[in-house]
Amino acid sequence: MRLGIVSDFDFYADGKGLVYVNRGQRLIEYLSSRLDEVVYFGRLVRVNDTSRLLPVRSRNFRVVPLRLEKRTALKDVFAIARRFLAAQGSCDVFLVKLGNLHALVAFILLKLRRRPVVCYAINDLDLGWHRFARISRWHRWRDRILRYVWRLVYILGDARLAISPTVAAHYKLLGFGSDARVYVETALSPQVVDATPGNSQAGEPILLSVGRLVEYKGHSFLIQAVHKLVRQEGLRAQLLIVGDGPLRHELQDLVTALGLGNWVHLIRHVPQGPELWQHYRSASIYVQPSLTESFGMAVLEGMYFGLPVVASRVGGLRDIVQHGETGILVPPGDVEALSSALATLLRSPDLRQRMGSAGRAVALRYTPEGETETLLRVLTKVVKRRQIQEAAGSRAGSGG
């Protein structure tokens, strides 16, 4: 089986034939090993420095670049359509990750050409986070319209996958789309975690948060919560925020304004690999203060390493974090509740240990091998169903 995956995922080329990623390397390699070919339709960027990237070592894997840089919407649509039509013929079935222009253009073309397509819901459609965001009225209305566009696309696919049960529920439309299977693109496995050298956690506890520095990740609320812990509660803990993004300077200014230079540290983006795993090993608590989240892959990574979680009660975080058992869920944007949850865990090492162990047990249910099998079962069913339909059509045509 030859699988085409349509996404806005970033790939990197070094000019020497190798393709690199900054996450998901193991999942891509494992998936490629189970199929005749995996063709990723995404973004391909040529770079000179690959020292912080992960090479995908598989002969059954290739990337077809759909868009190298953003231009006008109309030019982007034609560029994506042209590149996609030129390369899609080699694939037997397609997995389209919803939520971006690539996906919308590819889905329309695939339906027009009657190609089998599985729709994958990877973005939460809950727009409740808008009340916290500084976005224009136009963008708010655009997001409301797109919410129904993606739900319509979702139910028109030949099969449906979703990254979490909550996301699957948000994509249902007029009762349709309730047959989705949950598929999580995890790249971690117990072998990777167990092979990571341990670090002593002597000294001050470390709070860890990993993710892009964008508004909906809620890092500003986390920094304010740490300010309350340090200045009002008298608790001592270091906060490490790992990631890059447009809000780096704004968040750094907030740290400075609150006098937290000795307590809060903004670390550059670290790709999946030994350096990132060491941050998880060194941490005491994982924190995900997002205003919206479809799943929270970094939360799963933290749970793999036995960390208790404090997270917002939004999207897929409600599915993966079991409140009171593997972590504590708080209302999004609520600095007081976030600070209180962190204080509870900081004051109780035994509770951290108990929740961390329970979280690791949950995380071990998600492996590249197990999730790939879920995906393959859905893809195989779609391909077989299409083959039966085509055979029936041929017999009817011959009989006519």
Side-chain angles (χ1 to χ4, degrees), residues 233-248:
E233 302 289 341
L235 293 171
R236 302 173 68 87
Q238 298 287 319
L239 170 61
L240 271 60
I241 300 177
V242 179
D244 282 317
L247 292 188
R248 168 170 288 278

Side-chain angles (χ1 to χ4, degrees), residues 51-265:
S51 60
R52 299 185 58 77
L53 297 171
L54 307 171
V56 180
R57 304 186 185 278
S58 174
R59 290 177 295 180
N60 296 343
F61 166 79
R62 63 188 174 96
V63 176
V64 175
L66 291 187
R67 179 168 55 169
L68 298 179
E69 60 183 20
K70 290 186 177 181
R71 298 173 292 182
T72 65
L74 189 59
K75 288 184 177 179
D76 278 348
V77 167
F78 281 110
I80 292 170
R82 184 176 65 253
R83 289 174 178 267
F84 183 73
L85 286 173
Q88 51 83 33
S90 64
C91 300
D92 301 308
V93 61
F94 293 84
L95 178 69
V96 176
K97 299 181 183 181
L98 305 184
N100 56 78
L101 186 60
H102 299 172
L104 185 58
V105 174
F107 179 82
I108 293 173
L109 293 175
L110 289 170
K111 296 303 288 186
L112 289 174
R113 297 175 69 88
R114 301 181 62 82
R115 305 297 303 280
V117 54
V118 176
C119 290
Y120 184 25
I122 59 172
N123 296 315
D124 192 20
L125 296 180
D126 183 7
L127 301 181
W129 68 278
H130 276 185
R131 69 182 185 274
F132 299 100
R134 296 160 294 181
I135 58 178
S136 67
R137 183 175 298 178
W138 153 246
H139 283 95
R140 291 172 186 263
W141 278 105
R142 181 204 63 182
D143 288 350
R144 290 176 184 174
I145 294 170
L146 286 175
R147 177 170 54 179
Y148 289 99
V149 170
W150 293 123
R151 292 168 76 183
L152 179 61
V153 169
Y154 185 66
I155 66 174
L156 291 177
D158 294 289
R160 281 149 290 281
L161 292 166
I163 199 168
S164 73
T166 295
V167 169
H170 288 169
Y171 271 79
K172 289 190 295 185
L173 182 63
L174 301 176
F176 296 97
S178 59
D179 58 344
R181 297 287 302 275
V182 174
Y183 165 60
V184 179
E185 294 183 299
T186 178
L188 265 180
S189 65
Q191 294 79 10
V192 172
V193 176
D194 294 340
T196 304
N199 282 354
S200 171
Q201 292 192 8
E204 293 175 348
I206 296 176
L207 313 177
L208 176 66
S209 188
V210 179
R212 292 186 62 227
L213 306 184
V214 291
E215 198 162 21
Y216 74 85
K217 289 294 185 179
H219 292 118
S220 62
F221 301 108
L222 176 54
I223 293 172
Q224 294 174 60
V226 170
H227 177 261
K228 180 175 173 57
L229 287 174
V230 173
R231 303 303 182 196
Q232 298 181 27
E233 302 289 341
L235 293 171
R236 302 173 68 87
Q238 298 287 319
L239 170 61
L240 271 60
I241 300 177
V242 179
D244 282 317
L247 292 188
R248 168 170 288 278
H249 296 301
E250 181 177 321
L251 293 174
Q252 189 61 64
D253 289 344
L254 178 61
V255 171
T256 302
L258 295 177
L260 295 175
N262 293 328
W263 307 97
V264 178
H265 311 279

